[in-house]
């Protein structure tokens, strides 16, 4: 703010912005970005296909970006780029492109973190970003469900990511098995697990194979995955034998690892699903936390804790799905459920 008349000259300081200049490599990583975007060899990519670079101010659901989507800054064919006029401060560099889905039915937006940099007004920062982590290997698998090939089915393979920010924790790829239960995928290197999200009407179940496959960049990896499961039909009752309605049941294995749970119970206290054939402990949250707003407030109050509900979960019993069979059981909530 200024009050007129002024005494002496009026001095305005205008920021010119920072400049981030750099290269992304190696060439094999650039080739992988082209492949992910579905750019054919020798073809001229569109602005949406060819990877662009931007900087992000924070990691919120609505982060501040520079430049905006309407003014993309594309990578040059040699992997170099230059962003000018960036407001000074700490930014996260990100490489973006539209990743084509393997089934050819569309794609989704892919964002690869490329490091955090502090930029000064009027200064040029030069960086070299090593994207070797995205260089792929070939992954071939055979998927068996209860001993038989799982044919013509979409399954997911995933690995934990080791990236500069730690913000993106997994890399996930959907693959489709053929008439023999086999699949082939080109994926980045990593230690992969396989998961099958199975739909039966409105109910979903998730099965995970115990095997792991280590994919190495530039190499071929083969692995057989065994999905073994059994169905569970469960009825949840209170101490008086009345059905407990609308309660989801959490499942944990013997090591304490979280497993996909059972959906909320119906009007008769019943729920069902299909699960890995391993022993599991079933638990529920107390009734006071079944309300969405109450649960949200609870999580906010325990923000930063690794397992916020560990101290309030109530064990209702144990179950062990049997391979290829249906297990039916009744479990009862403890008295603490209504407190």
């Amino acid at each position: 703010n200024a009050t007129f008349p002024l005494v002496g000259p009026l001095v305005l300081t205008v920021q010119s912005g920072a400049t981030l200049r750099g290269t992304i490599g190696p060439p094999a990583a650039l080739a992988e970005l082209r492949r992910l975007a579905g750019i054919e060899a020798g073809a001229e990519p569109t602005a949406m296909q060819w990877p662009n670079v931007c900087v992000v101010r924070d990691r919120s659901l609505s982060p501040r970006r520079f430049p905006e989507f309407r003014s993309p800054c594309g990578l040059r064919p040699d992997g170099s780029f230059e962003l000018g006029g960036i407001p000074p401060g700490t930014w996260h560099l990100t490489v973006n492109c539209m990743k084509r889905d393997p089934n050819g039915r569309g794609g989704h937006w892919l964002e690869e973190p490329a490091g955090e940099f502090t930029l000064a007004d009027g200064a040029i920062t030069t960086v070299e970003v090593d994207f070797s982590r995205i260089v792929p290997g070939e992954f071939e698998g055979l998927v068996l469900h209860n001993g038989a090939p799982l044919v013509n089915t979409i399954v997911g393979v995933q690995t934990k990511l080791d990236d500069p920010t730690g913000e993106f924790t997994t890399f996930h790829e959907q693959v489709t098995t053929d008439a023999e239960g086999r699949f082939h995928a080109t994926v980045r290197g990593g230690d992969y697990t396989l998961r099958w999200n199975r739909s039966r009407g409105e109910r979903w179940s998730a099965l995970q194979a115990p095997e792991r496959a280590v994919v190495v960049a530039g190499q071929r990896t083969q692995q057989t995955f065994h999905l073994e499961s059994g169905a569970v039909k469960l009825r949840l009752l209170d101490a008086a034998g009345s059905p407990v309605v609308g309660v989801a049941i959490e499942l944990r294995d013997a090591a304490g690892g979280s497993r996909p749970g059972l959906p909320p119970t119906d009007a008769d206290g019943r729920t069902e699903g299909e699960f890995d054939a391993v022993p599991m402990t079933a638990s529920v949250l107390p009734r006071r936390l079944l309300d969405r707003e109450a649960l949200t407030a609870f999580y906010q109050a325990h923000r930063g804790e690794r397992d916020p509900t560990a101290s309030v979960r109530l064990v209702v019993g144990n179950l062990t799905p049997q391979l290829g069979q249906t297990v039916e059981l009744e479990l009862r909530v403890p008295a603490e459920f209504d407190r």
Side-chain angles (χ1 to χ4, degrees):
N1 296 324
T3 302
F4 292 91
L6 292 173
V7 177
L10 174 64
V11 179
L12 297 177
T13 301
V14 179
Q15 291 184 334
S16 61
T19 298
L20 182 62
R21 181 183 296 164
T23 58
I24 292 177
L30 296 176
E32 174 62 1
L33 287 173
R34 290 179 65 95
R35 186 193 71 82
L36 291 174
I39 304 171
E40 302 293 339
E44 187 67 25
T46 67
M48 286 298 294
Q49 281 182 313
W50 182 236
N52 299 304
V53 293
C54 72
V55 288
V56 182
R57 174 53 60 85
D58 58 57
R59 302 175 188 174
S60 66
L61 292 178
S62 301
R64 182 182 177 188
R65 297 174 180 270
F66 182 93
E68 297 180 352
F69 283 116
R70 292 173 294 180
S71 305
C73 174
L75 281 177
R76 302 185 184 103
D78 63 355
S80 63
F81 66 91
E82 181 171 322
L83 281 172
I86 307 171
T90 299
W91 294 86
H92 302 275
L93 178 62
T94 304
V95 179
N96 312 282
C97 70
M98 181 63 69
K99 179 182 179 298
R100 183 185 62 176
D101 286 344
N103 58 22
R105 298 176 183 174
H108 64 274
W109 194 244
L110 178 70
E111 294 192 339
E112 290 288 346
E116 180 181 275
F117 305 96
T118 299
L119 309 177
D121 184 51
I124 298 175
T125 301
T126 302
V127 299
E128 292 185 5
V129 181
D130 183 2
F131 253 32
S132 296
R133 70 177 187 274
I134 76 167
V135 177
E138 301 301 314
F139 188 9
E140 296 179 348
L142 170 63
V143 185
L144 305 177
H145 179 224
N146 291 347
L150 185 66
V151 304
N152 302 322
T153 301
I154 297 175
V155 295
V157 293
Q158 70 176 32
T159 185
K160 291 184 178 180
L161 288 180
D162 181 17
D163 63 59
T165 67
E167 177 69 12
F168 302 92
T169 57
T170 61
F171 172 82
H172 182 272
E173 186 80 24
Q174 284 192 331
V175 295
T176 303
T177 60
D178 60 18
E180 296 180 344
R182 301 182 183 275
F183 69 84
H184 174 270
T186 302
V187 296
R188 66 184 60 186
D191 185 3
Y192 281 83
T193 57
L194 181 138
R195 183 183 179 104
W196 178 28
N197 293 320
R198 186 179 188 184
S199 172
R200 287 186 171 181
E202 296 182 354
R203 297 186 181 274
W204 286 83
S205 61
L207 304 179
Q208 183 165 313
E211 295 85 5
R212 310 183 78 89
V214 178
V215 178
V216 179
Q219 299 183 23
R220 184 181 301 274
T221 299
Q222 296 178 320
Q223 178 66 52
T224 298
F225 294 96
H226 296 83
L227 296 166
E228 297 183 340
S229 67
V232 173
K233 293 185 176 181
L234 184 149
R235 192 179 188 214
L236 190 64
L237 306 174
D238 61 18
S242 299
V244 178
V245 180
V247 177
I249 299 176
E250 181 179 315
L251 299 176
R252 290 184 176 260
D253 57 29
S258 179
R259 296 280 181 147
L262 284 157
T265 52
D266 63 17
D268 196 33
R270 300 183 186 276
T271 183
E272 61 183 71
E274 187 166 357
F275 304 96
D276 302 326
V278 298
M280 292 181 284
T281 299
S283 61
V284 299
L285 292 176
R287 190 183 296 278
R288 62 184 173 84
L289 292 181
L290 298 183
D291 176 76
R292 184 184 297 273
E293 291 185 3
L295 185 59
T296 299
F298 177 85
Y299 276 114
Q300 290 176 343
H302 294 79
R303 185 180 302 169
E305 295 183 17
R306 184 175 181 180
D307 189 1
T309 61
S311 62
V312 296
R313 284 196 301 267
L314 304 173
V315 174
V316 294
N318 300 307
L319 59 91
T320 303
Q322 300 298 313
L323 183 63
Q325 301 180 27
T326 299
V327 174
E328 298 189 31
L329 70 161
E330 287 186 351
L331 298 177
R332 294 182 182 246
V333 296
E336 297 92 325
F337 177 72
D338 287 312
R339 293 177 185 170

